[in-house]
């Protein structure tokens, strides 16, 4: 029905007759001449109808926004005074010769010109209309270009695109599973995969060597801007490759995508250990565009009378850290109090502060409610360690180490944004040497990544002797404070896998029940293997400058995991429930009313 897309018409088409299809973006009647902005996924082009063709002109007069039409016309240059340099097609226009209305549009339930006036509920309920907006269409098209580039790179590097099951058994990925009841095995359930973790490891044991998949994953967890119940991973697994080799090939892939699609050279990615990232930035995904850092000062305040400082400073699980903010002395007391409330979100009990008026004067040159608890020696030591200058402010966090890291790390990001300290550069990073385990409130251990991650340089016996201090052979790719992807070297030794399960308190019977097929596969010449999974949605979000992954997914869910478009989730047909051997229990409120 078309000879080319609207957004592709240019000066090379002058004097050609073209057929275009699309939607009326805008109609203007100016002194007997009708102008249409015709839109399709590739952009806009101006179409002009004049009264010389009365029937066509009358039909053009009846058009309204979002009518779907077919236009036949001749391409001509615009008058020099009417050239629109802001449009790709702004140097030409179409002289309309024929017009066919393919479909009329009812009045729109939302505004396409200014989406800010629409609620997110409206945008998702009428997503097919929201996706017509050029801004949204560009994001979806850009996503397609990214997936195409990923496939080309991995295909060219010997990776095989292999599908894995969607209906499977539960895997321990740290979130609740979405369960699917079985009709043929009543009382039993499939789980939707949180990732293809076990299957891709089995593919390595199958000799597939290099696997990839752009795959849907499902996690029933609380949502936020960069989470959805169903999301897409670029899943990669390799045999006979070290962590360094996996990192090298995936870094090359990401660098190539940025170079080809954004003309951005990310350069070589620096590496930082998990311990350093937590110490300097309070986060395992630090945003290096922000120059602020956390500085440990526990050794300087161990003996002060101020118990808020000396308590954590003398506790092996405590931490006292500061952020020195350039020019921060200009912050008002109200500003500081607001930051105090902010860190409270993360469990901090308050935010101590010290304004540096004249650093050379030491204790006399600072202003702080806590100055009376500090002596000259301590203040001078603080000023020296933080390299504070006149006009700066020093903000203190003192509590359990985890609380201080999380609260001060979040404060660092907020200060960077509020004070416009964060640059608009691209700052990639590899974070490596993660702990194998983290401690649970009850004192037990849980894997920081997953229970199939290999430790670095340890035998099973050494690992079991001191699991809390074990380092994993794992790595995360971080970009501008966002984790793009994470991976690890996997366990391919049955004795090591059994040791991990014992550390986690998983009995032999439970391990056999949940992972028997994996443990059995490890007996038959399992190769060394490693992999990495990227969050495709997050990658697209970053590259397009979107604020949420919902803006780079065609049909996302709300923050309550609902779909306003289809009204999912909904109630099941009673007959279908009977086939599954299930009954739905009425909510408590309904039972009381009954």
């Amino acid at each position: 029905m078309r000879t080319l897309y609207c957004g592709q018409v240019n000066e090379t088409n002058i004097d050609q007759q073209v057929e275009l299809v699309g939607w009326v973006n805008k109609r203007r009647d100016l002194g007997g001449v009708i102008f249409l902005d015709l839109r399709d996924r590739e952009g806009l082009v101006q179409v002009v109808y004049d009264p010389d063709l009365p029937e066509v002109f009358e039909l053009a007069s009846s058009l309204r926004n979002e009518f779907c039409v077919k236009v036949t016309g001749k391409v001509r240059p615009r008058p020099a005074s009417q050239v629109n340099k802001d449009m790709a097609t702004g140097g030409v226009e179409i002289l309309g010769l024929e017009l066919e209305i393919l479909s009329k549009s009812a009045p729109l339930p939302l505004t396409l010109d200014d989406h800010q006036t629409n609620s997110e509920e409206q945008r998702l309920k009428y997503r097919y209309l929201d996706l017509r907006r050029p801004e949204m269409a560009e994001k979806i098209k850009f996503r397609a270009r990214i997936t195409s580039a990923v496939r080309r790179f991995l295909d060219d590097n010997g990776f095989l695109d292999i599908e894995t099951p969607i209906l499977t058994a539960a895997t321990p990925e740290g979130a609740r599973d979405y369960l699917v009841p079985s009709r043929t095995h009543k009382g039993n359930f499939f789980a939707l995969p949180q990732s293809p973790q076990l299957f891709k490891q089995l593919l390595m044991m199958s000799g597939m060597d290099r696997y990839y998949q752009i795959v849907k994953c499902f996690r029933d967890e609380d949502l936020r801007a960069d989470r959805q119940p169903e999301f897409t991973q670029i899943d990669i697994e390799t045999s006979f490759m070290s962590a360094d080799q996996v990192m090298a090939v995936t870094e090359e892939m990401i660098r190539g995508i940025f170079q080809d699609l954004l003309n951005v050279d990310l350069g070589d990615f620096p590496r930082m250990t998990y311990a350093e990232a937590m110490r300097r930035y309070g986060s395992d995904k630090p945003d290096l565009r922000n120059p602020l850092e956390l500085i440990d000062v526990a050794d300087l305040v161990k003996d002060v009378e101020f118990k808020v400082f000396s308590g954590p400073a003398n506790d092996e699980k405590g931490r006292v850290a500061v952020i020195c903010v350039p020019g921060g002395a200009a912050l008002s007391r109200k500003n500081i109090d607001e930051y105090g409330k902010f860190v409270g979100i993360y469990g901090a009990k308050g935010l101590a502060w010290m304004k540096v008026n004249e650093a050379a004067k030491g204790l006399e040159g600072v202003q702080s409610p806590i100055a009376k608890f500090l002596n000259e020696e301590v203040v001078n030591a603080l000023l020296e360690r933080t390299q504070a200058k006149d006009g700066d402010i020093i903000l203190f966090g003192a509590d359990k180490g985890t609380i201080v890291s999380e609260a001060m790390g979040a404060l660092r990001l907020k200060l960077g944004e509020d004070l416009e300290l964060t640059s608009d550069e691209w700052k990639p990073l590899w974070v490596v040497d993660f702990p194998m385990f983290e401690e649970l409130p009850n004192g037990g251990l849980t894997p920081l990544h997953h229970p199939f991650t290999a430790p670095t340089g340890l035998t099973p016996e050494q690992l079991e002797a001191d699991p809390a201090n074990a380092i994993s052979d794992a790595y995360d790719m971080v970009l501008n404070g966002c984790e793009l992807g994470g991976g690890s070297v996997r366990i391919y030794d049955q004795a090591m896998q059994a040791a991990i399960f014992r550390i986690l308190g998983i009995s032999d019977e439970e391990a056999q029940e949940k992972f028997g097929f994996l443990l059995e596969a490890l007996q038959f010449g399992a190769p060394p293997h490693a992999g990495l999974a990227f969050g495709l949605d997050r990658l697209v979000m970053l590259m397009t400058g979107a604020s949420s992954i919902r803006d780079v997914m065609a049909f996302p869910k709300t923050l309550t995991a609902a779909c306003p478009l289809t009204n999912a989730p909904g109630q099941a047909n009673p007959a279908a429930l009977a086939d599954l051997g299930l009954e739905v229990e009425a909510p408590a409120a309904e039972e009381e009313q009954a």
Side-chain angles (χ1 to χ4, degrees):
M1 295 181 74
R2 61 157 67 97
T3 55
L4 73 169
Y5 284 101
C6 297
Q8 295 174 342
V9 182
N10 57 41
E11 284 81 354
T12 63
N13 304 114
I14 288 174
D15 293 330
Q16 294 178 10
Q17 183 164 306
V18 295
E19 294 181 349
L20 306 174
V21 289
W23 288 266
V24 177
N25 194 67
K26 187 179 293 185
R27 181 187 68 85
R28 305 180 301 281
D29 190 340
L30 302 178
V33 178
I34 294 173
F35 292 87
L36 302 180
D37 286 341
L38 190 64
R39 184 193 72 244
D40 60 22
R41 77 173 203 193
E42 297 299 325
L44 297 168
V45 68
Q46 180 171 279
V47 183
V48 182
Y49 285 98
D50 61 39
D52 293 347
L53 300 171
E55 292 184 9
V56 177
F57 185 82
E58 184 178 353
L59 189 59
S61 299
S62 70
L63 296 179
R64 296 294 181 269
N65 287 3
E66 300 308 311
F67 276 30
C68 185
V69 301
K70 177 182 179 182
V71 168
T72 301
K74 187 176 182 180
V75 183
R76 67 185 186 185
R78 287 198 194 188
S81 61
Q82 297 179 18
V83 170
N84 186 345
K85 295 181 180 179
D86 294 330
M87 288 176 60
T89 61
V92 296
E93 62 186 14
I94 312 295
L95 176 60
L97 303 176
E98 298 177 21
L99 176 64
E100 180 182 353
I101 297 177
L102 301 174
S103 178
K104 294 183 178 181
S105 173
L108 297 181
L110 73 172
T111 304
L112 299 188
D113 291 339
D114 180 12
H115 80 275
Q116 302 289 352
T117 61
N118 306 314
S119 68
E120 184 170 64
E121 185 82 9
Q122 285 178 298
R123 291 180 59 201
L124 296 184
K125 182 175 177 61
Y126 300 100
R127 189 62 162 184
Y128 47 87
L129 296 177
D130 189 51
L131 289 174
R132 290 184 189 178
R133 294 190 295 113
E135 177 186 349
M136 289 300 297
E138 284 303 313
K139 287 182 172 64
I140 299 302
K141 286 162 54 184
F142 195 88
R143 182 185 178 115
R145 293 173 65 195
I146 290 176
T147 57
S148 179
V150 166
R151 292 186 189 280
R152 281 197 307 273
F153 178 88
L154 294 173
D155 289 344
D156 290 346
N157 280 273
F159 287 83
L160 303 176
D161 183 357
I162 306 175
E163 295 180 353
T164 54
I166 293 297
L167 295 176
T168 183
T171 57
E173 299 290 336
R176 288 181 295 271
D177 290 306
Y178 277 101
L179 300 177
V180 180
S182 170
R183 179 184 59 81
T184 53
H185 301 277
K186 285 186 173 61
N188 292 293
F189 295 81
F190 296 103
L192 302 183
Q194 296 188 36
S195 86
Q197 182 62 45
L198 297 182
F199 285 107
K200 64 185 177 185
Q201 289 190 243
L202 292 172
L203 285 169
M204 296 304 100
M205 298 171 201
S206 306
M208 293 298 104
D209 196 65
R210 293 189 176 196
Y211 141 97
Y212 84 92
Q213 188 179 186
I214 298 178
V215 59
K216 280 287 188 185
C217 301
F218 307 86
R219 296 185 185 180
D220 185 7
E221 58 187 347
D222 295 333
L223 306 184
R224 61 188 186 207
D226 59 348
R227 282 186 179 170
Q228 281 280 293
E230 53 180 312
F231 57 95
T232 306
Q233 276 187 186
I234 304 169
D235 208 44
I236 298 170
E237 197 77 8
T238 70
S239 295
F240 311 111
M241 289 178 68
S242 66
D244 287 341
Q245 290 171 320
V246 172
M247 292 164 72
V249 73
T250 52
E251 179 178 322
E252 181 185 351
M253 180 181 77
I254 295 298
R255 276 206 314 264
I257 290 171
F258 270 78
Q259 186 67 65
D260 294 345
L261 302 187
L262 293 182
N263 195 29
V264 169
D265 182 5
L266 292 177
D268 293 332
F269 293 13
R271 295 190 186 187
M272 181 180 296
T273 66
Y274 170 89
E276 182 183 356
M278 296 302 294
R279 176 175 58 81
R280 295 173 60 187
Y281 304 106
S283 170
D284 61 0
K285 47 181 184 294
D287 188 345
L288 300 187
R289 299 173 301 165
N290 181 336
L292 300 178
E293 293 191 19
L294 277 61
I295 303 169
D296 283 307
V297 296
D299 59 311
L300 304 182
V301 296
K302 289 176 70 173
D303 300 321
V304 300
E305 296 179 10
F306 193 42
K307 297 297 184 184
V308 172
F309 286 178
S310 59
N314 287 282
D315 184 344
E316 64 177 14
K317 293 187 177 181
R319 186 179 186 188
V320 183
V322 302
I323 298 174
C324 181
V325 185
L331 292 172
S332 67
R333 184 60 186 267
K334 180 182 178 183
N335 295 145
I336 297 170
D337 288 344
E338 287 173 352
Y339 287 129
K341 293 177 183 177
F342 175 79
V343 295
I345 297 170
Y346 301 90
K349 299 180 182 67
L351 185 67
W353 54 272
M354 178 185 293
K355 290 186 177 183
V356 182
N357 298 323
E358 293 184 66
K361 290 185 177 181
L363 182 58
E364 290 186 8
V366 301
Q367 173 190 351
S368 171
I370 61 169
K372 59 187 176 183
F373 300 110
L374 308 177
N375 58 38
E376 186 79 33
E377 182 181 354
V378 170
V379 170
N380 286 335
L382 287 168
L383 294 175
E384 181 180 354
R385 183 165 297 181
T386 60
Q387 296 294 294
K389 297 179 175 56
D390 295 353
D392 294 351
I393 191 172
I394 301 173
L395 302 173
F396 295 77
D399 210 308
K400 293 180 180 178
T402 52
I403 291 176
V404 170
S405 295
E406 188 173 3
M408 298 299 280
L411 178 62
R412 169 183 173 269
L413 296 178
K414 183 165 179 58
L415 287 165
E417 181 180 344
D418 291 351
L419 305 180
E420 299 182 349
L421 300 173
T422 304
S423 71
D424 58 0
E425 306 169 85
W426 293 101
K427 289 287 188 177
L429 174 72
W430 284 108
V431 178
V432 299
D433 295 346
F434 286 83
M436 276 288 291
F437 306 102
E438 57 185 342
E439 189 174 339
L440 294 169
N442 64 6
L445 297 176
T446 188
L448 192 64
H449 281 79
H450 54 64
F452 314 110
T453 298
T456 300
L458 295 177
T459 65
E461 294 76 18
Q462 290 170 329
L463 177 64
E464 287 194 84
D466 188 16
N469 292 309
I471 300 298
S472 66
D473 204 350
Y475 35 84
D476 281 0
M477 183 187 289
V478 176
L479 181 62
N480 292 3
C482 183
E483 180 193 328
L484 281 188
S488 67
V489 172
R490 320 303 189 188
I491 296 168
Y492 69 98
D493 174 70
Q494 192 176 29
M496 180 63 79
Q497 189 64 73
I500 296 284
F501 288 155
R502 283 194 295 271
I503 291 168
L504 298 176
I506 298 175
S507 67
D508 292 344
E509 293 76 15
E510 185 182 357
Q512 195 62 39
E513 180 187 348
K514 290 183 175 179
F515 314 113
F517 59 94
L518 175 68
L519 296 174
E520 187 174 27
L522 290 174
Q523 300 178 62
F524 301 110
H529 55 288
L532 187 148
F534 289 100
L536 174 62
D537 311 296
R538 290 185 186 179
L539 177 61
V540 181
M541 179 180 74
L542 278 175
M543 294 185 72
T544 60
S547 58
S548 164
I549 62 171
R550 294 191 295 279
D551 282 340
V552 298
M553 303 172 80
F555 298 103
K557 305 291 190 295
T558 66
L559 285 176
T560 59
C563 176
L565 174 64
T566 62
N567 291 321
Q571 295 184 351
N573 185 300
L577 290 175
D579 283 345
L580 295 167
L582 296 177
E583 292 183 5
V584 176
E585 187 175 321
E590 291 184 20
E591 290 179 352
E592 290 173 6
Q593 290 175 3

